[in-house]
Amino acid sequence: MSADVPFTRTLQAEWIKLRSLRSTWYTLSALMAVGIGVTSLALSTVGQDYAEASAADRQAWDPTSLSLTTYIIGQLIIGVLGILIVTSEYATGLIATSLGATPRRHRVLAAKAVIATGLALVAGQTLMVAAFLLGQAMMAAQDVPHAALGDDGVFAALAGGGLYLSAIALLAVGLGVITRATAGALATLVAIVFLVPALSGTFPSWMHGLVDIWPTKGAAAVLTTVPDPEFPHPWLNLGGLWLAVAAVLATAFVLLRRRDV
């Protein structure tokens, strides 16, 4: 493929490579199966949980958020997909062939980023809607307050979930290029989305302000319909996540152009 070949050809080539990998479909299947399974398990005793809830807890009851907690596991699986889009070629050595066929290296990474974002958006949005519908059905069956698609804030929460997961997939693509190894990229992703927020309480006081605006911590608040006092502007946090992802991806572009492979 020469340098003057349209970007659409590069995009098509990347899509053909991705859909031909069995790991792609295994990962997407795992996303849906595990995601729905987590929702079923998390809400299996929701009736009892509501009956034992305090008045304050009932006031803050958010059926939508409860049904979308599957994003916690979903972000890891969709991150694996984003990583494999890049590192599978590094593992087999085919990345040299891809870059040799497309001398303008930025086109290869741009195509991978577009494919990863689009696929993650569709898969993530599907998971969010499926988890919501299943969760609300389970709540209704256990006679606890539940939500409908037309309720205030529900559509925004579902859309926010899809955008959040697609941002994680794009972040994973960038990490895959930077580390060039599945294990390294996955370890870094886990640290970003899980370890930093989980261990934030152990950090020195001067770091608390940074942790409070950590992109993946506040961005997940878009999956709620009841305002969170800690994150009063969740969509700004989601925007911050996308900016952080853009910075990682920019670093990946620079490294890809400077390295031999």
Side-chain angles (χ1 to χ4, degrees):
M1 187 178 293
S2 60
D4 59 350
V5 173
F7 176 67
T8 52
R9 292 286 300 277
T10 306
L11 196 64
Q12 183 181 26
E14 290 299 326
W15 170 239
I16 291 173
K17 286 190 291 185
L18 181 61
R19 75 185 187 191
S20 66
L21 294 173
R22 284 181 293 181
S23 61
T24 299
W25 304 110
Y26 290 157
T27 306
L28 289 174
S29 298
L31 175 67
M32 297 305 299
V34 174
I36 294 302
V38 167
T39 301
S40 300
L41 289 174
L43 300 180
S44 60
T45 60
V46 69
Q48 180 181 349
D49 295 339
Y50 186 78
E52 297 174 352
S54 65
D57 289 337
R58 293 190 179 190
Q59 184 70 25
W61 186 259
D62 190 345
T64 300
S65 177
L66 289 172
S67 64
L68 300 183
T69 53
T70 189
Y71 87 89
I72 297 174
I73 299 299
Q75 65 184 341
L76 180 60
I77 299 175
I78 213 137
V80 170
L81 177 64
I83 290 170
L84 290 177
I85 287 175
V86 175
T87 59
S88 60
E89 289 196 62
Y90 277 105
T92 60
L94 289 177
I95 188 66
T97 303
S98 296
L99 297 179
T102 310
R104 295 183 180 178
R105 294 184 169 197
H106 65 278
R107 286 188 175 185
V108 176
L109 181 50
K112 290 181 181 297
V114 170
I115 294 295
T117 305
L119 187 59
L121 182 60
V122 172
Q125 203 65 77
T126 301
L127 175 61
M128 291 293 98
V129 173
F132 174 81
L133 294 177
L134 173 62
Q136 303 316 307
M138 292 182 68
M139 291 183 200
Q142 297 180 61
D143 197 27
V144 299
H146 53 281
L149 283 171
D151 290 351
D152 289 343
V154 170
F155 179 81
L158 295 177
L163 290 172
Y164 177 87
L165 292 177
S166 58
I168 296 298
L170 190 55
L171 171 63
V173 170
L175 294 176
V177 174
I178 292 171
T179 63
R180 296 185 290 185
T182 302
L186 183 57
T188 306
L189 181 67
V190 169
I192 291 172
V193 300
F194 290 123
L195 293 186
V196 171
L199 299 177
S200 59
T202 65
F203 293 166
S205 58
W206 61 270
M207 292 185 64
H208 289 175
L210 174 62
V211 174
D212 288 342
I213 61 172
W214 191 257
T216 59
K217 185 175 181 181
V222 298
L223 283 81
T224 66
T225 59
V226 176
D228 185 342
E230 292 188 13
F231 305 106
H233 306 291
W235 285 91
L236 291 180
N237 290 94
L238 182 61
L241 172 60
W242 277 93
L243 287 176
V245 170
V248 171
L249 201 61
T251 302
F253 270 102
V254 171
L255 291 176
L256 185 64
R257 295 188 65 178
R258 291 183 176 180
R259 289 169 174 165
D260 291 338
V261 176

